C-alpha cells in the first residue's frame, strides 16, 4: 500500500490526512504486518540532525505523520504539499474509536504506574466496548526486559501504544518490533499524561495557531524551556537555511 513521501530537513513524512492515516492503520492491522509508526515535530527533527540512529529509525518507519503545525508550515514554506497536521494524540484517539468499533485489542505501555492505571480507566470509560489486552508502566530493569516483551507478545494485542519519551521509544520499538508481534506499534510520548488528566492540552485555537508548544511550556517552564525555546529557534534556523539553499539552486525543491 504505497503513499507519497516528502523529505523535510532530512525527515521523511507521509503526505496523509487523518482519514488516510486511519485507512493505513486499519490495513496494517487487518494484514497483521508488524510496523512501527512515528510522528515528527520540530523538536524531533532538530534531534534527528545530530542523532543519526534516530534519523535512520524514523525514516525506516512504515508510517510517518507530521505531528507539529510548525512542520506543516515549514514543509509548505519549502515548497512541499503536506495536506494537514496529524497530531499523535488525535490519531491515537481516532485509533481507539476504531478499536472500540472493530474489536481490536489494545496494549498500553509507558508512564508511571499511577498514570498508566488512570489512562486505562479513562479509555475504558470513553470506549466501553474496547478490549484492553494489557498495560504496564514504562519503568523496568534490563533483567525485566524479556518479561515485558513476552507480556506484550502473549497479549495478542493488535495495537501497542508506547508512552515513553524520544528517542528512547523509537530505539526500543525498532529493536524489539519483531519480538513484540503486534501489527501496529505507535509511540505516543506524553499522551497518557493528557488522557489521565495530569497535563492539559492547549485550546483548539492555540493548536491551529501553532502555539500548542507555548501552552505546554507555560505549564512546566522549568522542564520545557530548553526543549521549546532553544529547540524551536534551531528549527527556524534550519528551515531558513534550507530555503536559502533552495533559492541558490535552479528549480527549487524536487
Amino acid at each position: 500500500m504505497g503513499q507519497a513521501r516528502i523529505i523535510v530537513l532530512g525527515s521523511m513524512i507521509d503526505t496523509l490526512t487523518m482519514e488516510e492515516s486511519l485507512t493505513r492503520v486499519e490495513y496494517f492491522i487487518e494484514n497483521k504486518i508488524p510496523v512501527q509508526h512515528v510522528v515528527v515535530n520540530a523538536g524531533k527533527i532538530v534531534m534527528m540532525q545530530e542523532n543519526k540512529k534516530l534519523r535512520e529509525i524514523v525514516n525506516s518507519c512504515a508510517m510517518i505523520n507530521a505531528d507539529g503545525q510548525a512542520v506543516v508550515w515549514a514543509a509548505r514554506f519549502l515548497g512541499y504539499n503536506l495536506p494537514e497536521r496529524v497530531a499523535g494524540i488525535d490519531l491515537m484517539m481516532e485509533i481507539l474509536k476504531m478499536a472500540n468499533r472493530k474489536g481490536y485489542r489494545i496494549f498500553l505501555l509507558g508512564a508511571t504506574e499511577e498514570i498508566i492505571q488512570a489512562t486505562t480507566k479513562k479509555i475504558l470509560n470513553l470506549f466501553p466496548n474496547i478490549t484492553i489486552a494489557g498495560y504496564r508502566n514504562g519503568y523496568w530493569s534490563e533483567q525485566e526486559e524479556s518479561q515485558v516483551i513476552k507480556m506484550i507478545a502473549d497479549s495478542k494485542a493488535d495495537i501497542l501504544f508506547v508512552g515513553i519519551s524520544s528517542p528512547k521509544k523509537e530505539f526500543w520499538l525498532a529493536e524489539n518490533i519483531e519480538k513484540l508481534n503486534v501489527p501496529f506499534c505507535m509511540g505516543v510520548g506524553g499522551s497518557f499524561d493528557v488522557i489521565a488528566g495530569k497535563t492539559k492540552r492547549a485550546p483548539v485555537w492555540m493548536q491551529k495557531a501553532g502555539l500548542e508548544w507555548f501552552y505546554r511550556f507555560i505549564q512546566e517552564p522549568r522542564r520545557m524551556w530548553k526543549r521549546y525555546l532553544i529547540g524551536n529557534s534551531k528549527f527556524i534556523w534550519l528551515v531558513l537555511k534550507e530555503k536559502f539553499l533552495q533559492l541558490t539552486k535552479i528549480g527549487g525543491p524536487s
Side-chain angles (χ1 to χ4, degrees):
M1 190 178 184
Q3 81 275 5
R5 279 194 162 176
I6 59 174
I7 302 177
V8 178
L9 303 175
S11 175
M12 291 187 179
I13 302 174
D14 294 319
T15 57
L16 298 170
T17 63
M18 175 64 79
E19 185 178 352
E20 291 166 342
S21 298
L22 289 168
T23 298
R24 287 189 59 75
V25 173
E26 185 176 0
Y27 172 83
F28 293 135
I29 295 170
E30 293 293 338
N31 287 274
K32 300 193 180 302
I33 306 169
V35 300
Q36 181 175 353
H37 170 274
V38 67
V39 295
V40 292
N41 54 24
K44 191 172 294 182
I45 288 178
V46 169
M47 198 185 300
M48 289 166 65
Q49 306 303 304
E50 299 177 354
N51 193 322
K52 183 181 177 182
K53 182 179 178 182
L54 176 62
R55 184 167 68 248
E56 289 174 349
I57 288 172
V58 168
N59 288 340
S60 68
C61 286
M63 186 170 158
I64 309 166
N65 285 116
D67 177 78
Q69 187 61 45
V71 175
V72 177
W73 288 340
R76 292 173 181 173
F77 179 66
L78 295 172
Y80 300 107
N81 180 25
L82 188 55
E84 65 183 33
R85 173 194 188 198
V86 181
I89 189 167
D90 293 335
L91 181 59
M92 178 185 176
M93 297 307 292
E94 291 298 325
I95 292 172
L96 287 170
K97 289 180 187 177
M98 182 194 298
N100 189 60
R101 188 173 67 251
K102 290 182 169 287
Y104 296 148
R105 297 169 61 83
I106 305 295
F107 197 104
L108 305 167
L109 177 70
T112 64
E113 185 64 27
E114 179 185 3
I115 292 296
I116 196 67
Q117 287 191 22
T119 301
T120 302
K121 184 177 180 180
K122 184 67 177 289
I123 288 172
L124 288 169
N125 287 337
L126 290 172
F127 308 104
N129 296 321
I130 208 164
T131 301
I132 302 293
Y135 66 87
R136 195 198 187 285
N137 67 58
Y139 299 89
W140 60 82
S141 66
E142 190 175 335
Q143 291 73 29
E144 295 173 306
E145 176 98 348
S146 60
Q147 296 174 6
V148 173
I149 293 169
K150 186 176 187 301
M151 180 183 183
I152 296 168
D154 289 349
S155 75
K156 308 292 185 188
D158 299 297
I159 301 161
L160 170 64
F161 292 118
V162 182
I164 298 173
S165 61
S166 293
K168 185 177 178 181
K169 65 177 178 292
E170 285 84 5
F171 292 167
W172 190 82
L173 280 173
E175 184 178 344
N176 297 298
I177 192 162
E178 295 299 329
K179 302 174 193 173
L180 295 169
N181 197 32
V182 179
F184 187 74
C185 300
M186 177 180 179
V188 296
S191 295
F192 293 167
D193 286 344
V194 176
I195 294 170
K198 181 184 177 182
T199 58
K200 292 183 179 180
R201 197 170 178 203
V204 174
W205 72 267
M206 292 188 81
Q207 295 176 38
K208 291 181 178 179
L211 291 172
E212 193 164 12
W213 68 271
F214 182 69
Y215 190 83
R216 185 79 179 89
F217 166 71
I218 60 177
Q219 289 185 77
E220 295 184 276
R222 288 186 178 181
R223 192 164 77 89
M224 295 295 176
W225 74 270
K226 188 173 182 179
R227 178 194 297 185
Y228 289 130
L229 299 186
I230 295 178
N232 286 1
S233 297
K234 286 183 178 179
F235 181 74
I236 292 169
W237 165 247
L238 289 168
V239 173
L240 293 176
K241 181 180 175 183
E242 181 66 19
K243 188 65 176 180
F244 176 78
L245 290 173
Q246 285 184 358
L247 293 173
T248 59
K249 295 177 183 178
I250 298 174
S254 59

